[in-house]
Amino acid sequence: MITWHGTEELSAKLKKIVQNYPREKNLFLMQTAENLLARAKKFSPVDTGKLRGSWSRSEPAGDSVEVFNNTEYAAHVEFGHRTRGGGGFVQGQYFLRDAVDESRENFVRDANNILARLFK
């Protein structure tokens, strides 16, 4: 529990939080993206290795960071696709969905750690 005595201490604490927030937020975004990247790579199916090796992330911008795969067929492998000639359908492998699901627990833990550091 945090205990403050007087408005001067409160003001100093709030000023410190405001100063440290941008750095802590960007650290959190990068940690989250790297965590998701590692899991997306782990779950990505491997034929040639191109899909698994094409994961990347952007730099934090505002309140977000993007994790992406520019491989032209990544969405088809993730969500499924019709076969040539339209005679069949290949089921999606949902590797990114699974990576996001597995990352949720770390997201909450990392968010709590960032908040704890901000309010220290």
Side-chain angles (χ1 to χ4, degrees):
M1 184 168 165
I2 300 171
T3 305
W4 288 301
H5 302 285
T7 58
E8 291 172 359
E9 188 176 344
L10 173 61
S11 181
K13 184 60 93 174
L14 290 173
K15 186 175 182 178
K16 181 181 173 191
I17 290 169
V18 169
Q19 287 172 343
N20 291 334
Y21 174 74
R23 179 179 47 84
E24 293 292 337
K25 176 190 68 168
N26 286 340
L27 176 63
F28 172 70
L29 290 172
M30 288 188 294
Q31 282 177 326
T32 301
E34 289 297 326
N35 188 358
L36 182 56
L37 270 176
R39 283 172 170 70
K41 287 179 182 180
K42 178 178 92 172
F43 289 128
S44 293
V46 178
D47 185 13
T48 65
K50 183 177 180 184
L51 182 65
R52 183 173 281 181
S54 295
W55 286 102
S56 193
R57 71 164 172 83
S58 67
E59 290 298 316
D63 291 334
S64 66
V65 63
E66 293 180 1
V67 173
F68 57 92
N69 190 312
N70 283 335
T71 307
E72 61 276 359
Y73 55 87
H76 300 293
V77 178
E78 173 74 13
F79 299 112
H81 59 89
R82 294 196 183 279
T83 57
R84 289 188 182 176
F89 186 80
V90 176
Q91 289 294 326
Q93 297 189 32
Y94 304 108
F95 54 93
L96 183 57
R97 179 200 64 193
D98 294 343
V100 169
D101 287 346
E102 192 176 277
S103 296
R104 290 182 199 280
E105 186 177 311
N106 288 339
F107 179 90
V108 172
R109 183 199 66 225
D110 292 345
N112 286 330
N113 289 340
I114 295 291
L115 289 171
R117 282 200 304 264
L118 278 172
F119 287 96
K120 220 180 213 179

